[in-house]
Amino acid sequence: MPKLSDLMNSRYLKKDDFNPRGTVVTINYLERQNVAPEDGPKEHKWVIFFDEMDRGLVLNATNATTIAEILASENTDDWDRQSWPTWTLPS
């Protein structure tokens, strides 16, 4: 039987999409997107895309701060093509 999280189809990555033992990902690009449900009002947020994944991760304050700490820069221009193990992403 599948996990409940496997039954929910999402346009974006979530914690369960990452291997808990860590997967090295490489940042491809960041893009501001409307992340609202199709029938809801627009809600624009930054989404980070990785070479190794087919969907992006919506940046919230926690994971954006964590990525900035891991990559030692709050300037997202410095994040381009950087890699790290995803086990360091918080829930």
Side-chain angles (χ1 to χ4, degrees), residues 2-22:
K3 295 187 300 184
L4 184 58
S5 61
D6 293 336
L7 300 175
M8 304 299 162
N9 203 9
S10 176
R11 295 183 295 162
Y12 300 100
L13 294 168
K14 50 195 177 306
K15 181 181 176 185
D16 291 342
D17 294 318
F18 294 94
N19 183 334
R21 294 179 182 218

Side-chain angles (χ1 to χ4, degrees), residues 3-62:
K3 295 187 300 184
L4 184 58
S5 61
D6 293 336
L7 300 175
M8 304 299 162
N9 203 9
S10 176
R11 295 183 295 162
Y12 300 100
L13 294 168
K14 50 195 177 306
K15 181 181 176 185
D16 291 342
D17 294 318
F18 294 94
N19 183 334
R21 294 179 182 218
T23 300
V24 175
V25 294
T26 304
I27 296 173
N28 189 327
Y29 65 98
L30 286 119
E31 181 176 87
R32 194 160 172 84
Q33 292 189 349
N34 177 15
V35 299
E38 290 182 23
D39 57 348
K42 289 184 178 182
E43 181 181 3
H44 288 91
K45 293 190 176 186
W46 286 98
V47 180
I48 189 167
F49 291 87
F50 307 105
D51 289 343
E52 298 79 6
M53 305 290 205
D54 59 351
R55 294 175 287 153
L57 175 69
V58 177
L59 287 179
N60 60 32
T62 301

Side-chain angles (χ1 to χ4, degrees), residues 57-68 79 89-90:
L57 175 69
V58 177
L59 287 179
N60 60 32
T62 301
N63 60 33
T65 301
T66 301
I67 293 169
W79 297 6
L89 285 174

Side-chain angles (χ1 to χ4, degrees), residues 61-76 79 84:
T62 301
N63 60 33
T65 301
T66 301
I67 293 169
E69 289 173 359
I70 292 166
L71 300 180
S73 179
E74 291 188 5
N75 183 346
T76 60
W79 297 6
W84 83 93

